[in-house]
Amino acid sequence: MLLGFVLSATIATTGVEAFVSLSAPQSSFLRTSKFSGSAIEAGPIFAQNGGLNLRNAGRNRPSNLNTFMSAPVKGGLSLEYLTADSTKIAYDFIPGNKPTVVYLPSFNQTRFGSKASALQTWCKRNKQGYFAADYYGCGGSGGQYQDGTISRWTRDTVALIENVVKGPVLLVGSGVGGWVMMHVALQRPKLVKGLVGIAPTPDFTKDVVLPELDADTKRKIKETGMAEILWGGNTYTISQKLIDDASDQLVLQGGSKSIGITCPVRLIQGLGDKEIPPNRALKICDVVASEDVVITYVKYGDHMLDEEEDFERMTADVADLCSKIYEFDLSSPTSG
């Protein structure tokens, strides 16, 4: 077994350079870059409405959400934003240096997961702005879970960025959050300065989940509006509205550079992921127009990517992109 060496190899994808670290089994990872030669060092929660039992997404959930603000301008924890249709969205906002790091949770999870906690801790230590919200129908937010969709979660995220964060953002999307972040970047390219995807799952409904569902499960989803499914060894709740909406939100079905995302992109993907094909990261790399795309493959990483080493990789990518972005206050005579 080789130890302590970094090998350079070429993957069968045009313009992609691969770097493999074999220093230790638990931290082994392969990193690819869209442009050649650009390596970088390497308890259940219930929705308040509808009673959906979500998978445990973290600890230390606040006991109540009692700060109601329709147009908040200050930061804090466990705040609420009122959407255009009078639905409350629960969020945490810690103002700090720009860009504000916006965390977008995984499917069936809330903003209190281990990745969110690690990211919030890093932002506090580095005085970086931090923002995270529960999706419509999830956790502390209002709405029925079966009405939650990719387009709805995207629309709410855009509204929160414009009306609460109010400035440039770096989006960190885990799982389905990686799908949402791509749409937010397309809708607000001037505000979104970079993307970090953690096992992102764009288009998972079309080519990963639906083909594996049996006839009985598909019928139950149609008749009742939603059903529990087994996906990659884990149980998830999926709705008919999400499936229907997702068909209009697909981003990976076009050719090379078919998606007009031009900001820097960092992707972290486990090679042991049983929920999403590891080559999905390469597909994202191909379809986005950005030339600054770097992929980190974690040799033994699963879909959750919730080991300490995974958090370190995530925050390293966030630090990398934050260092590329500068905001000057042009109203100050001493700026710039």
Side-chain angles (χ1 to χ4, degrees):
M1 180 178 179
L2 296 175
L3 295 176
F5 292 93
V6 177
L7 306 180
S8 177
T10 301
I11 293 181
T13 302
T14 304
V16 175
E17 189 86 4
F19 298 85
V20 186
S21 167
L22 299 175
S23 58
Q26 287 302 316
S27 61
S28 295
F29 65 95
L30 176 151
R31 194 156 202 180
T32 71
S33 172
K34 190 168 185 177
F35 47 100
S36 181
S38 59
I40 294 179
E41 187 75 24
I45 297 173
F46 292 84
Q48 293 183 350
N49 297 282
L52 176 68
N53 184 2
L54 302 178
R55 294 194 305 119
N56 183 22
R59 299 179 296 276
N60 302 324
R61 185 179 190 274
S63 58
N64 58 66
L65 297 168
N66 54 17
T67 305
F68 188 83
M69 304 175 69
S70 60
V73 294
K74 295 182 180 180
L77 302 180
S78 301
L79 303 178
E80 293 174 0
Y81 173 78
L82 195 63
T83 65
D85 63 357
S86 299
T87 301
K88 69 172 185 178
I89 300 297
Y91 71 91
D92 299 325
F93 180 36
I94 303 173
N97 294 330
K98 304 294 185 179
T100 298
V101 177
V102 175
Y103 179 72
L104 300 168
S106 301
F107 192 47
N108 280 195
Q109 293 193 5
T110 74
R111 71 189 194 278
F112 298 110
S114 55
K115 284 188 283 292
S117 178
L119 191 59
Q120 184 182 131
T121 298
W122 181 89
C123 287
K124 287 180 178 178
R125 288 175 178 171
N126 292 275
K127 298 182 180 180
Q128 198 76 33
Y130 174 82
F131 181 91
D134 284 337
Y135 295 133
Y136 175 97
C138 297
S141 290
Q144 298 292 326
Y145 176 79
Q146 59 265 34
D147 295 329
T149 61
I150 301 299
S151 63
R152 172 74 201 220
W153 297 335
T154 298
R155 184 167 67 251
D156 288 344
T157 301
V158 169
L160 288 161
I161 290 172
E162 292 185 331
N163 297 303
V164 179
V165 178
K166 299 181 179 180
V169 295
L170 171 65
L171 304 181
V172 180
S174 177
V176 76
W179 193 352
V180 173
M181 78 177 183
M182 293 180 72
H183 280 288
V184 175
L186 286 170
Q187 293 186 23
R188 295 296 185 272
K190 292 184 179 180
L191 287 176
V192 177
K193 303 301 182 180
L195 304 179
V196 177
I198 316 298
T201 61
D203 297 14
F204 78 90
T205 50
K206 175 181 173 61
D207 48 21
V208 178
V209 171
L210 287 181
E212 300 298 323
L213 295 183
D214 57 45
D216 288 342
T217 301
K218 290 180 179 178
R219 182 169 56 253
K220 183 177 180 181
I221 294 173
K222 283 186 175 294
E223 291 176 352
T224 66
M226 61 181 180
E228 287 190 345
I229 63 171
L230 188 64
W231 176 21
N234 294 305
T235 301
Y236 292 89
T237 301
I238 192 167
S239 71
Q240 185 63 53
K241 286 188 177 181
L242 176 71
I243 293 171
D244 293 341
D245 176 78
S247 64
D248 295 324
Q249 307 300 318
L250 303 176
V251 292
L252 302 183
Q253 308 306 308
S256 182
K257 297 186 177 181
S258 58
I259 300 298
I261 293 175
T262 58
C263 63
V265 179
R266 301 292 180 265
L267 305 172
I268 304 174
Q269 175 64 52
L271 290 176
D273 194 332
K274 296 180 180 179
E275 298 186 22
I276 204 75
N279 64 0
R280 180 130 316 196
L282 289 172
K283 181 62 176 177
I284 296 172
C285 175
D286 183 52
V287 300
V288 299
S290 175
E291 293 296 324
D292 186 358
V293 180
V294 180
I295 304 171
T296 301
Y297 276 112
V298 185
K299 186 173 183 180
Y300 295 102
D302 59 13
H303 185 66
M304 294 297 107
L305 289 174
D306 55 3
E307 299 295 331
E308 188 63 33
E309 295 88 348
D310 300 319
F311 301 153
E312 292 173 359
R313 280 184 273 269
M314 173 183 67
T315 55
D317 279 348
V318 169
D320 168 43
L321 294 188
C322 285
S323 70
K324 294 176 179 289
I325 303 164
Y326 300 91
E327 182 183 60
F328 297 103
D329 179 8
L330 298 182
S331 66
S332 171
T334 61
S335 67

